[in-house]
Amino acid sequence: MRKRILIVGAGFAGMWAALSAARLADKHQQAIDITVIAPQPELRVRPRFYERAVQTLVAPLQPLFDVTGVNFLQGHVEQIIPDSKEVSWKDANGEIHLRRYDRLVLASGSHVNRDAVVGAAEHAFDLDQLESATALEQHITDLALQPESEARNTVVICGGGFTGIEMAQELPGRLREILGADAKTRVVVVERGAQPAGRWSQELRDVIIEASAELGIEWLVNAEVESVDAGGVTLKDGQVIASQTVIWTVGVQANSLTAQINAPRDRQGRLHVNANLQVVGHDDIYATGDVAYAATDDKGNHALMTCQHAILLGKFAGNNAAASLLGVEPSPYRQEMYVTCLDLGAWGAVYTEGWDQQVKLTRAEAKKLKVSIVSELIYPPKAERAVAFEMADPYAPFV
Ligand SMILES: Cc1cc2nc3c(=O)[nH]c(=O)nc-3n(C[C@H](O)[C@H](O)[C@H](O)COP(=O)(O)OP(=O)(O)OC[C@H]3O[C@@H](n4cnc5c(N)ncnc54)[C@H](O)[C@@H]3O)c2cc1C
């Protein structure tokens, strides 16, 4: 009987894990049953969810899986049972099945947690998943149908991380289009830190501050959200901001399947993995993408919950799961290069290199790069076997 690799999730990490495992089996001319279980055979391009037309930001995966010999099962994994090397999963009709594996690759991603603050789950929006980002986009478009008021014209972004910044920078232009050029709109970023973009290098911070100022975005620093309700946001210092549109962007957590594996996890719930991306204490389970807490180098840096890391983590995890079944040497995960490319709306974008975020490009030049990254580089390869296998090599050129 063929050995089985089971991959949970068809995001950046899961897709590349499947292609990379198939590539190695093909290279060694041995058959391995490689199966992906996910709710849809499509890649949902989460890094673009602050943009317009969110519903279109998906790429089909079935043709790619067909040409590379990857099986796809549509459903949700409910339980991981390491003792018997099985998962239970629910198909699209709600029926429960058991599926055995020889190697499991957990690539089930992450989600923003809106439960941290009273009222956020009911009254705040987010742009974390296709459904919630679509609901947010529709809500913003429908603001035009509401009577003019301060609350209608004010958007509050809770959290000044990269997701919050990209959404904030996009909004002044979007609100003008929807509410009219003369509407007095406000975009407010509520940030716990002492200064805007305070967690990054001075160089990057200066760019973000300049771009925010130019687009009229307000930063409320040293500010924490106490609660959210239908009328807006109340801060811990008692200040109330009237708003019909509160967007929650902080508190991203690894998918809850990670809690079913008895292994150390970080504060975000990511499973500790070794250099081959095996979960500590579980040689037959690999964690990858946003569910993996993986060292990127020997200097103490770890992968972030980013697509740049998920893509390479996926390639290494799939390769190594297959290598262990083929009896060939695994390839230790390494990703020394770290870049950021942040969309700053009508101002342009900023591109940095290194963990110390040295600014290399700004404005239109960086925007051109950002567009090529998010509309080409991170999309799946063409549905051609040779092309897909070439790109699935963990050592193929990548950032
Ligand atoms: C608004 C936003 C902006 C971002 N911007 C950037 C950016 O500019 N640059 C960057 O590098 N990163 C960015 N990211 C982060 C990036 O999107 C994630 O790091 C990346 O998607 C992680 O890939 P992944 O494959 O681990 O998880 P995901 O892409 O989340 O994929 C997870 C997969 O697992 C599936 N799944 C979940 N649960 C189950 C289950 N129980 N059973 C079966 N399947 C399951 C999901 O359906 C999905 O197919 C952004 C994210 C967001 C939300």
Side-chain angles (χ1 to χ4, degrees):
M1 197 180 185
R2 281 186 185 184
K3 294 285 187 191
R4 289 179 160 193
I5 297 178
L6 184 60
I7 297 162
V8 184
F12 296 95
M15 171 193 71
W16 282 113
L19 299 180
S20 185
R23 168 194 167 273
L24 201 69
D26 180 73
K27 186 175 165 195
H28 291 274
Q29 300 194 334
Q30 286 190 46
I32 299 177
D33 178 307
I34 298 160
T35 300
V36 174
I37 302 184
Q40 305 86 17
E42 65 187 23
L43 179 75
R44 297 181 157 196
V45 187
R46 294 176 69 201
R48 299 186 65 177
F49 284 178
Y50 63 92
E51 293 183 26
R52 291 171 175 79
V54 170
Q55 281 289 343
T56 65
L57 302 177
V58 297
L61 292 178
Q62 194 63 62
L64 184 60
F65 288 160
D66 288 345
V67 295
T68 50
V70 171
N71 307 309
F72 180 77
L73 295 174
Q74 185 154 11
H76 270 92
V77 169
E78 304 229 305
Q79 219 192 334
I80 299 169
I81 315 157
D83 288 347
S84 56
K85 292 195 182 188
E86 284 172 312
V87 303
S88 76
W89 66 283
K90 194 191 263 184
D91 69 20
N93 301 318
E95 279 178 40
I96 305 283
H97 308 265
L98 279 179
R99 178 100 186 168
R100 197 184 55 75
Y101 61 80
D102 295 292
R103 298 291 180 269
L104 182 71
V105 180
L106 188 61
S108 48
S110 60
H111 61 94
V112 75
N113 179 12
R114 281 196 277 140
D115 292 330
V117 154
V118 174
E122 297 87 346
H123 299 290
F125 292 87
D126 70 61
L127 57 148
D128 189 61
Q129 303 293 328
L130 189 71
E131 294 77 7
S132 56
T134 302
L136 170 61
E137 184 181 16
Q138 189 62 52
H139 168 83
I140 292 174
T141 305
D142 289 348
L143 286 174
L145 308 173
Q146 301 291 327
E148 160 98 41
S149 71
E150 197 186 322
R152 184 198 71 163
N153 290 3
T154 302
V155 178
V156 179
I157 314 268
C158 304
F162 283 160
T163 301
I165 292 170
E166 289 194 318
M167 186 76 246
Q169 296 284 134
E170 162 85 5
L171 278 167
R174 183 107 59 103
L175 291 175
R176 259 197 312 279
E177 269 175 33
I178 292 167
L179 301 177
D182 297 333
K184 283 198 169 51
T185 60
R186 276 182 85 194
V187 177
V188 183
V189 179
V190 176
E191 166 59 36
R192 189 167 28 189
Q195 50 183 329
R199 65 194 92 166
W200 300 300
S201 69
Q202 182 71 47
E203 262 190 295
L204 177 55
R205 186 151 62 241
D206 289 346
V207 170
I208 292 169
I209 290 170
E210 182 190 324
S212 295
E214 199 167 298
L215 299 192
I217 290 155
E218 298 169 43
W219 281 76
L220 278 185
V221 294
N222 289 318
E224 255 185 89
V225 176
E226 172 77 20
S227 63
V228 183
D229 60 29
V233 162
T234 303
L235 303 183
K236 289 227 157 104
D237 65 3
Q239 196 181 155
V240 174
I241 310 171
S243 171
Q244 289 182 8
T245 314
V246 177
I247 306 177
W248 194 262
T249 68
V250 286
V252 178
Q253 286 292 312
N255 174 269
S256 60
L257 288 174
T258 52
Q260 296 186 15
I261 299 169
N262 184 14
R265 290 181 294 145
D266 78 342
R267 279 193 314 158
Q268 290 176 290
R270 298 183 299 173
L271 289 156
H272 286 232
V273 291
N274 65 19
N276 297 330
L277 306 183
Q278 288 157 303
V279 174
V280 170
H282 297 266
D283 285 354
D284 46 14
I285 302 181
Y286 294 73
T288 189
D290 281 2
V291 299
Y293 180 68
T296 54
D297 54 33
D298 298 324
K299 299 174 200 135
N301 295 309
H302 284 79
L304 301 174
M305 285 178 162
T306 68
C307 146
Q308 125 184 222
H309 289 109
I311 288 172
L312 212 57
L313 282 164
K315 293 181 187 180
F316 277 93
N319 180 84
N320 290 344
S324 71
L325 295 176
L326 297 166
V328 301
E329 280 299 305
S331 302
Y333 167 69
R334 273 286 172 278
Q335 192 164 5
E336 307 265 343
M337 180 77 164
Y338 170 59
V339 304
T340 63
C341 198
L342 197 59
D343 194 344
L344 297 173
W347 187 89
V350 58
Y351 168 72
T352 72
E353 286 180 3
W355 288 91
D356 54 351
Q357 295 115 18
Q358 303 153 39
V359 173
K360 299 290 181 188
L361 297 174
T362 58
R363 296 246 186 205
E365 262 186 309
K367 189 82 156 194
K368 207 169 143 202
L369 179 64
K370 176 77 180 179
V371 170
S372 80
I373 291 173
V374 297
S375 59
E376 291 165 29
L377 185 75
I378 64 173
Y379 270 67
K382 259 202 247 168
E384 282 178 23
R385 191 176 168 90
V387 174
F389 283 169
E390 191 184 333
M391 289 176 70
D393 182 343
Y395 296 111
F398 185 61
V399 289

